[in-house]
Amino acid sequence: MTARPFHRSQAEMLPERAAPVTTAGVVGWLRANLFSSWANTAFTLIALYLLWLIVPAIADWAYFNADTAGDDRFACKSSGACWAWVDQRIGQFLYGFYAPDQTWRVDLAVVLLIPALAPLLFEGVPFARQLRWFSLAYPVVATFLLVGGIGLEGIPTDKFGGFMLNLTVGLAGIVLSLPIGILLALGRRSRLPIIRILCVGFIEIVRGVPLITLLFVSNIILPIFLPPDVTVDSLIRVIVMVTAFASAYMAEVIRGGLQAIPRGQYEAAQALGLRYWQSMVLIILPQALKISIPGIVNTFIGLFKDTTLVIIIGLFDILGIGNAMVSNPDWLGLATEAYVFIAFFFFIACFSMSRYSIHLEKRLDTERRD
Amino acid sequence: MARNASARRPGSPGWQRLWSDERTRGLIYQLLVILGVALFVAFIVSNTIANLQRAGLASGFGFLFDQAFFDINQRLIDYTSTSTFGRALVVGLLNTVLVSAMGIVAATAIGFVAGVLRLSPNFLLSRLVGAYVEITRNVPVLLQIIFWWVVLSGLPKVRDSLALGDAVFLNNRGVRLPAPLFESGFEWVLAAALAGVVATVFVARWSRRRQNESGERFPVFWSGLALIVGLPALVYWIAGSPVAWDIPKPTRFNFRGGFNVTPELVALWIALSTYTGAFISEIVRAGILSVSKGQTEAAGALGLRPGQTMWLVVIPQAMRVIIPPLTSQYLNLTKNSSLAIAIGYQDLVSIGGTILNQSGQALEVVGIWMVVYLSLSLLTSMFMNWYNRRIALVER
């Protein structure tokens, strides 16, 4: 008779069992996230109630009860939104008063933006080296396409309008404000007192006043400051002011990045015998800009949203076109539709910028840990 | 002298030696910059003088005492169309301060609530708040101001006002609220409120000293509430309710009594506070997340309840991260209030624009704008810096 081995514990491994229903899967997730305590349950119920109030109402208004066809607001008979104007007005909303048979130039400029931006924004783009040259040339190409000149019909800048005006001012501001902001930030930390004082003065004065007063300055004061026969194109004035405004904020963002770089980096660059600009461009700025990415992109987003302010000095960007349409007798009272439509454009542009900045932060962050 | 001699090597001309010296080089750069700036300023000044002479404009601030011939419907001090330009500007400044102050209070409240709720473990709630934050942050504030204004203008006409409890009326001319009429005896209520505030400050100080010495805590919040709210309420009751409410009564075409808040002010207030509130909520969220988890765990280990952990451990440390960006949001809100001009709320910029059109004194008006906004910015940041220093980490 063989003695059965006596085990205090289990002899063989038990098979793995699934987690109880209450902690895993849908039920577990619901319990953990929505019904973990009575307060949490109350919040969930309130949130559900709000969603139940809001979502169907918006969906009904925007889609199910909406009218999409017609020549004026009287064609819209149902209770929801009236989108009949979109078909008629979309051209103005996008291109302003740009000659209708020339709008392909705007479209082309926007399409060319993709190969110009791709090598700067993403890694692993084919022909990135060659495309970077194109990115550098893009501002010239786009200006030529939009304004015209050699071979293309000239279009005066006061015909610019709609979302295209927002994009023009916004992109020009973005392209110009980053380098100017970097120079201002370096100037503010310069050891030369005169340069430092000038930079601090510029940054603090521009940051202290609203953009709208700067736009007024460009509109009212600039003619007083210039000789009587000199006039500056109003689009250029707006771009200059928006750039000046954004670069003051940019300078502060980048200064934050510069201050975060340890002193040892500056000293190491000096010890290597690098000159001031060499050490800045090769050692300090790449690190400082990397840290400042969220702030830089936020400044870009702010700048892009601020392009709507041009309506106050009488330019017709997408918001100005919307305002004009809302007061047109044919479409009177369609304000909600018009503003929601416009808001959608800005939301797409700004939200994708902020998502991209989060993506970029993550990408650069993993590089640092490697 | 030997060094001097070695520096004067043959083949090294004097200017090159000067150029290699960092200090001289800096000096030369700066001289060049000064020269450039001076030329630029001289160019502008000479143009300005020539232009002003040709336009026959007298510069100076004398126009501030001229009569303004326009009306202002939103005002905090007495003003008629016979008042001076100067007084009109003061009315505008007060309107700017009014909407900024209202906006700052509301945006702070919205921002803190939304920031805390966004961190809630409740999936639905945090996503709902997240949707609010992302939508308001990514749409131009000017668009939001105009949108709210249009919504408020779309309210029913005066005759069909929406009534809230027969005392507050909403219509397309704004919000009609009951106006308080202060009768004799009210000064006692005010005095009681003042006494309550002073007493609370003393209680708070005493309580902090006692806590530092003995570790015992005193319910400062509740005693403060009792002193600041309870005491005046008690005096109010004893004095026999010395406030009569002038309740608006609908008449045929308008209202009798009460006071009206214009739709422009309400629209501007809603838009500015929800817009800035979204930014503040992100700041608050980042601030709370910046407090390391160890702090919460240590507080738990000491036996603090979750509420105490939040208020005594996490929030005070988060405030240090929150305050500096919060300051710049307050400044942004104040500056964004100048967008009032788009909907006709008569703030400093809007009234200044009218004066500018009437008097033609462009330089002076723009100068006043800049000085006022710069000093508002300076005052706000001075106050916030003072607060920041008070709560800053005291390190050894």
Side-chain angles (χ1 to χ4, degrees):
Chain A
M1 193 178 171
T2 53
R4 284 168 63 94
F6 177 77
H7 287 295
R8 275 191 165 277
S9 54
Q10 190 80 28
E12 59 277 324
M13 198 74 150
L14 282 176
E16 202 173 276
R17 276 190 297 174
V21 195
T22 45
T23 59
V26 178
V27 179
W29 184 88
L30 283 178
R31 267 180 75 118
N33 285 299
L34 298 178
F35 303 102
S36 58
S37 66
W38 66 266
N40 212 346
T41 309
F43 275 138
T44 305
L45 293 179
I46 293 172
L48 280 178
Y49 178 67
L50 279 178
L51 283 176
W52 181 72
L53 277 185
I54 298 169
V55 174
I58 291 182
D60 276 346
W61 176 82
Y63 188 74
F64 294 110
N65 288 339
D67 282 303
T68 50
D71 291 331
D72 53 28
R73 68 194 160 103
F74 304 106
C76 294
K77 303 232 184 299
S78 47
S79 58
C82 180
W83 299 113
W85 53 270
V86 175
D87 196 33
Q88 197 188 80
R89 297 283 176 135
I90 185 80
Q92 271 194 17
F93 271 74
L94 293 182
Y95 309 110
F97 308 110
Y98 210 81
D101 58 330
Q102 299 289 323
T103 51
W104 61 269
R105 285 155 57 177
V106 181
D107 298 339
L108 185 61
V110 172
V111 171
L112 285 181
L113 196 59
I114 298 169
L117 282 180
L120 306 178
L121 297 186
F122 302 105
E123 281 179 331
V125 178
F127 307 113
R129 274 180 89 87
Q130 291 83 344
L131 278 178
R132 276 201 195 109
W133 286 106
F134 177 65
S135 314
L136 217 61
Y138 179 78
V140 182
V141 174
T143 314
F144 168 66
L145 274 175
L146 295 181
V147 182
I150 325 144
L152 279 177
E153 187 189 326
I155 304 245
T157 54
D158 58 356
K159 298 281 180 222
F160 284 28
F163 198 58
M164 169 235 168
L165 179 64
N166 295 103
L167 280 179
T168 312
V169 176
L171 284 175
I174 285 173
V175 169
L176 295 170
S177 65
L178 185 60
I180 297 179
I182 292 175
L183 289 181
L184 283 171
L186 291 177
R188 190 167 185 164
R189 285 168 62 80
S190 165
R191 263 176 304 172
L192 309 176
I194 303 282
I195 291 177
R196 193 170 59 232
I197 289 168
L198 285 174
C199 288
V200 171
F202 179 84
I203 293 171
E204 292 306 330
I205 288 177
V206 169
R207 269 161 33 98
V209 300
L211 175 56
I212 181 176
T213 58
L214 291 185
L215 291 176
F216 272 119
V217 166
S218 83
N219 233 22
I220 304 163
I221 305 289
L222 209 61
I224 303 181
F225 281 173
L226 290 176
D229 46 336
V230 179
T231 51
V232 184
D233 186 90
S234 66
L235 182 65
I236 293 180
R237 284 192 312 222
V238 164
I239 290 177
V240 167
M241 282 304 168
V242 167
T243 305
F245 190 71
S247 40
Y249 283 83
M250 191 68 77
E252 287 299 275
V253 168
I254 292 169
R255 182 166 72 112
L258 289 173
Q259 280 175 345
I261 305 300
R263 231 186 132 68
Q265 296 285 329
Y266 290 88
E267 290 164 354
Q270 275 192 329
L272 284 176
L274 297 180
R275 289 164 162 275
Y276 175 79
W277 287 106
Q278 284 177 323
S279 62
M280 285 301 146
V281 171
L282 298 173
I283 311 276
I284 306 298
L285 281 175
Q287 304 180 59
L289 292 180
K290 194 196 268 185
I291 307 174
S292 332
I293 285 172
I296 292 176
V297 177
N298 275 339
T299 315
F300 285 164
I301 295 176
L303 185 155
F304 190 63
K305 285 185 292 180
D306 281 344
T307 57
T308 49
L309 264 62
V310 298
I311 64 168
I312 285 164
I313 57 166
L315 297 186
F316 282 87
D317 77 325
I318 190 169
L319 186 54
I321 298 274
N323 282 339
M325 187 200 86
V326 167
S327 49
N328 180 307
D330 279 353
W331 305 111
L332 205 64
L334 298 184
T336 317
E337 285 88 341
Y339 295 131
V340 167
F341 185 76
I342 298 167
F344 187 71
F345 277 83
F346 281 99
F347 181 79
I348 296 291
C350 299
F351 190 67
S352 31
M353 275 196 262
S354 77
R355 288 290 117 172
Y356 175 74
S357 113
I358 294 172
H359 156 80
L360 192 63
E361 257 179 275
K362 281 196 187 129
R363 195 175 93 194
L364 295 177
D365 193 38
T366 46
E367 277 178 4
R368 216 180 297 157
R369 268 186 220 145
D370 278 343
Chain B
M1 289 303 109
R3 283 181 57 179
N4 213 356
S6 73
R8 211 168 280 163
R9 280 196 312 269
S12 156
W15 62 268
Q16 202 173 353
R17 219 173 53 244
L18 274 179
W19 193 243
S20 324
D21 181 24
E22 203 183 342
R23 283 170 64 189
T24 332
R25 208 164 60 216
L27 216 62
I28 295 171
Y29 280 147
Q30 297 190 61
L31 282 175
L32 284 177
V33 169
I34 291 180
L35 196 69
V37 171
L39 280 177
F40 181 68
V41 170
F43 174 71
I44 284 178
V45 168
S46 73
N47 281 334
T48 308
I49 292 173
N51 282 330
L52 287 181
Q53 265 174 359
R54 203 173 40 258
L57 280 175
S59 54
F61 289 91
F63 73 99
L64 289 178
F65 302 102
D66 294 347
Q67 184 185 348
F69 285 97
F70 55 91
D71 274 317
I72 302 176
N73 57 23
Q74 162 74 44
R75 52 181 184 256
L76 293 176
I77 53 172
D78 286 336
Y79 172 88
T80 61
S81 55
T82 54
S83 305
T84 59
F85 281 138
R87 196 168 177 85
L89 276 176
V90 175
V91 173
L93 171 62
L94 288 177
N95 283 345
T96 295
V97 173
L98 172 73
V99 77
S100 307
M102 283 167 61
I104 283 175
V105 171
T108 312
I110 292 174
F112 271 77
V113 170
V116 171
L117 286 187
R118 195 155 182 210
L119 288 173
S120 142
N122 188 312
F123 176 83
L124 263 183
L125 192 67
S126 66
R127 290 306 151 99
L128 211 59
V129 176
Y132 149 71
V133 171
E134 291 300 342
I135 290 174
T136 32
R137 243 159 47 108
N138 287 316
V139 171
V141 62
L142 180 59
L143 178 58
Q144 298 187 38
I145 291 173
I146 297 181
F147 174 80
W148 283 112
W149 181 57
V150 167
V151 166
L152 291 178
S153 319
L155 283 173
K157 292 206 175 73
V158 174
R159 265 201 312 195
D160 319 311
S161 295
L162 301 172
L164 305 175
D166 279 342
V168 177
F169 295 90
L170 281 172
N171 56 50
N172 62 358
R173 281 195 220 157
V175 187
R176 196 99 196 165
L177 295 170
L181 295 176
F182 303 113
E183 294 161 358
S184 73
F186 187 73
E187 58 273 12
W188 291 107
V189 181
L190 276 184
L194 196 69
V197 171
V198 173
T200 306
V201 171
F202 276 107
V203 168
R205 285 193 174 170
W206 166 79
S207 139
R208 185 176 308 146
R209 208 170 44 237
R210 195 180 72 149
Q211 193 187 349
N212 285 344
E213 283 164 5
S214 66
E216 275 180 89
R217 286 177 53 77
F218 185 80
V220 175
F221 178 77
W222 294 110
S223 61
L225 198 70
L227 281 168
I228 295 176
V229 177
L231 190 65
L234 187 70
V235 175
Y236 180 78
W237 181 69
I238 292 173
S241 311
V243 177
W245 289 96
D246 180 17
I247 292 169
K249 298 251 180 340
T251 60
R252 204 177 162 78
F253 297 110
N254 208 334
F255 286 94
R256 198 175 50 237
F259 73 100
N260 196 44
V261 182
T262 60
E264 287 81 23
L265 175 59
V266 179
L268 198 59
W269 181 51
I270 295 177
L272 288 178
S273 41
T274 49
Y275 181 76
T276 313
F279 283 91
I280 292 179
S281 83
E282 288 289 273
I283 292 169
V284 170
R285 184 170 77 118
I288 293 178
L289 285 178
S290 77
V291 179
S292 77
K293 215 172 151 57
Q295 296 285 328
T296 317
E297 290 165 354
L302 286 175
L304 267 60
R305 284 185 303 252
Q308 288 178 321
T309 308
M310 196 67 181
W311 286 106
L312 299 176
V313 178
V314 176
I315 295 272
Q317 297 184 70
M319 283 313 265
R320 293 189 193 120
V321 180
I322 291 173
I323 290 296
L326 191 65
T327 313
S328 61
Q329 285 307 324
Y330 287 172
L331 294 178
N332 281 350
L333 189 145
T334 310
K335 281 178 276 173
N336 281 338
S337 74
S338 64
L339 297 177
I341 194 169
I343 57 168
Y345 174 78
Q346 282 156 314
D347 76 325
L348 182 71
V349 170
S350 169
I351 288 180
T354 313
I355 293 176
L356 198 156
N357 283 337
Q358 286 198 2
S359 67
Q361 307 278 355
L363 284 177
E364 291 80 357
V365 171
V366 171
I368 291 175
W369 281 341
M370 297 226 160
V371 168
V372 168
Y373 277 105
L374 282 176
S375 10
L376 282 181
S377 299
L378 209 64
L379 279 178
T380 314
S381 40
M382 262 164 60
F383 173 75
M384 294 304 274
N385 285 343
W386 167 80
Y387 184 65
N388 195 27
R389 261 200 310 280
R390 245 177 64 100
I391 62 167
L393 190 62
V394 183
E395 281 175 308
R396 267 173 294 175

